[in-house]
Amino acid sequence: MTSKRVLVIEDDKDIALSLRVLLERAGLEVALAAGGRDGLRVFHSVRPDLVVLDVGLPEMDGWAVLERIRDLSDIPILMLTAHDQESDKVRGLRGGADDYQTKPYGNAELTARVLALLRRRQPAAASGATGPEVFDDGLIELDFAAREVRVAGERISLTPTEFRLLAALVRRKGQVLSPDALLEVAWSDPLGIGPERVKYTIMRLRRKLGVHDEAGASPIESVRGFGYRYQPGIATRPQRG
Ligand code: CA
């Protein structure tokens, strides 16, 4: 097995170097970047299997880096922060971070978190082999084989998890799916992830779809106490243009 690559984006030199030693000792390849922009550049060249991302970075902070990476990729991201604040944790999860580690941390704990995230397998053939190849209701068009999504004719870019989530919802248009059911189809490791991940991924998906009805409601409807369903109203249309 080739070793997994970890990108550490951290401006504090001492912490960055100690993370490198720690993770290399765990058998991982480690790339370092000392700032947000630099981190994104290294991310594109190194194509890591996981990112350890400090929140407080010069120029472009960790939140902005998280958003950029999540627009493109589902790779595991572990956020590092100096404060044990609930609001930071919520913000990280909402932005699509997979886990969260406050400083100062124990070496064994951090290593365990990184290895646990890397152990999560990528799901195989994702969105289900049955059913038609294309979904098109005039608002949203999904090509399941090509994994392409168009909203009112305009191509949008989704991460694999977002695509699987949307595919599951449109294939069962009008049916309410529970968070547990969505975890099962869209994530490879539903046991390791709380239902709140579904909520935040739904929020990002709604934002990327950018469509609503006259009352401002998304076609991905929350059914309180039960889950979510794809059910566009008659007047649902794109927000932009
Ligand atoms: Ca920092």
Side-chain angles (χ1 to χ4, degrees):
M1 194 184 94
T2 55
S3 56
K4 301 266 189 182
R5 277 190 294 263
V6 176
L7 168 59
V8 175
I9 308 178
E10 165 66 85
D11 60 319
D12 184 309
K13 250 188 195 145
D14 292 339
I15 294 178
L17 291 176
S18 80
L19 281 172
R20 164 180 262 167
V21 170
L22 189 66
L23 296 174
E24 283 180 349
R25 208 175 284 155
L28 304 168
E29 269 178 46
V30 180
L32 298 180
R37 285 183 206 291
D38 192 34
L40 285 173
R41 211 180 51 242
V42 178
F43 176 81
H44 288 294
S45 62
V46 166
R47 300 184 168 276
D49 299 292
L50 178 142
V51 175
V52 177
L53 177 59
D54 184 34
V55 168
L57 294 168
E59 275 187 61
M60 177 191 261
D61 71 15
W63 303 121
V65 175
L66 174 66
E67 200 178 318
R68 295 284 190 90
I69 294 177
R70 265 302 165 260
D71 278 344
L72 305 165
S73 162
D74 278 327
I75 68 153
I77 300 176
L78 175 69
M79 300 290 288
L80 284 182
T81 178
H83 307 288
D84 189 7
Q85 284 179 353
E86 190 64 15
S87 61
D88 272 1
K89 183 178 176 182
V90 169
R91 191 173 173 187
L93 289 171
R94 191 184 296 235
D98 295 271
D99 203 356
Y100 182 91
Q101 176 73 67
T102 54
K103 296 176 190 170
Y105 50 81
N107 286 348
E109 186 189 2
L110 186 119
T111 308
R113 283 180 192 273
V114 166
L115 293 178
L117 287 174
L118 283 171
R119 265 197 303 274
R120 283 190 196 156
R121 284 166 298 117
Q122 290 299 312
S127 50
T130 54
E133 286 298 291
V134 172
F135 171 91
D136 185 358
D137 64 357
L139 177 69
I140 290 176
E141 189 187 334
L142 255 90
D143 184 328
F144 296 105
R147 310 182 69 80
E148 285 183 6
V149 183
R150 286 188 164 72
V151 178
E154 199 179 320
R155 174 102 184 259
I156 64 164
S157 162
L158 299 180
T159 69
T161 301
E162 291 160 359
F163 183 89
R164 287 192 295 273
L165 200 55
L166 181 62
L169 287 162
V170 301
R171 279 192 194 280
R172 298 162 188 82
K173 186 175 175 177
Q175 288 179 39
V176 179
L177 297 174
S178 69
D180 282 347
L182 290 170
L183 277 171
E184 195 66 43
V185 291
W187 278 266
S188 52
D189 178 19
L191 297 178
I193 307 169
E196 63 178 2
R197 278 305 295 282
V198 176
K199 184 172 94 181
Y200 294 125
T201 309
I202 292 271
M203 283 166 57
R204 287 206 314 283
L205 187 54
R206 282 177 177 153
R207 179 166 54 77
K208 286 189 178 180
L209 291 177
V211 289
H212 68 158
D213 67 12
E214 280 172 341
S218 168
I220 299 177
E221 193 187 345
S222 302
V223 182
R224 188 177 285 274
F226 293 98
Y228 303 91
R229 71 179 154 198
Y230 175 69
Q231 180 138 291
I234 292 162
T236 304
R237 59 177 189 276
Q239 249 157 2
R240 39 175 196 260

